[in-house]
Amino acid sequence: AAPPAATPPPPTPTPTPGEHNHDHDTPLIPTADNTARTLINALDKGYIKAAILDVFVEEPLPPNNALWTHPGVTVSPHISALTRAQDVPNLVLDNYERYVDCINKEEKDNAALAQKLKYVVDWN
């Protein structure tokens, strides 16, 4: 006897932007507000330690967005650029040589290193 034919499940309705999956307390689709709330929830619960964010659906990020004030979030200005893989080894080597030069000259403080190294970001 032939096996019974499989019946596909009924189609799942497309969620409305902002609609939540209440079984899991996570958004079904990523709207900007829901993504921010989900990220903050993950930070608050310790699922992730920190987030460094550069690109947002709405730019600039609204002043009242909780991402601005959360202690685990760093919002960088949208100034990143394309990094070509073939450029990375030379940049790392150049910065390493600059670092070793500082250490050899006893210039071990952060201010001296920041002046010598390329592309230093001060997160303070």
Side-chain angles (χ1 to χ4, degrees), residues 19-41:
E19 183 178 346
H20 280 76
N21 177 346
H22 295 286
D23 293 336
H24 301 290
D25 196 31
T26 56
L28 290 173
I29 58 175
T31 63
D33 286 340
N34 289 338
T35 301
R37 279 195 296 271
T38 301
L39 176 60
I40 289 170
N41 186 43

Side-chain angles (χ1 to χ4, degrees), residues 82-116:
L82 177 65
T83 301
R84 300 179 323 158
Q86 66 264 28
D87 296 337
V88 174
N90 289 334
L91 173 62
V92 171
L93 180 60
D94 183 37
N95 260 352
Y96 176 74
E97 289 170 347
R98 289 166 182 262
Y99 174 79
V100 170
D101 186 53
C102 283
I103 299 302
N104 289 338
K105 291 179 179 176
E106 301 291 325
E107 298 172 341
K108 297 178 184 178
D109 63 277
N110 287 340
L113 287 171
Q115 288 179 346
K116 302 272 181 166

Side-chain angles (χ1 to χ4, degrees), residues 38-104:
T38 301
L39 176 60
I40 289 170
N41 186 43
L43 287 160
D44 289 345
K45 291 185 177 185
Y47 297 142
I48 58 176
K49 177 84 173 154
I52 300 173
L53 308 172
D54 179 62
V55 178
F56 302 94
V57 172
E58 182 181 349
E59 291 195 2
L61 191 61
N64 63 343
N65 190 296
L67 293 172
W68 284 115
T69 57
H70 194 282
V73 174
T74 299
V75 177
S76 72
H78 189 140
I79 57 171
S80 64
L82 177 65
T83 301
R84 300 179 323 158
Q86 66 264 28
D87 296 337
V88 174
N90 289 334
L91 173 62
V92 171
L93 180 60
D94 183 37
N95 260 352
Y96 176 74
E97 289 170 347
R98 289 166 182 262
Y99 174 79
V100 170
D101 186 53
C102 283
I103 299 302
N104 289 338

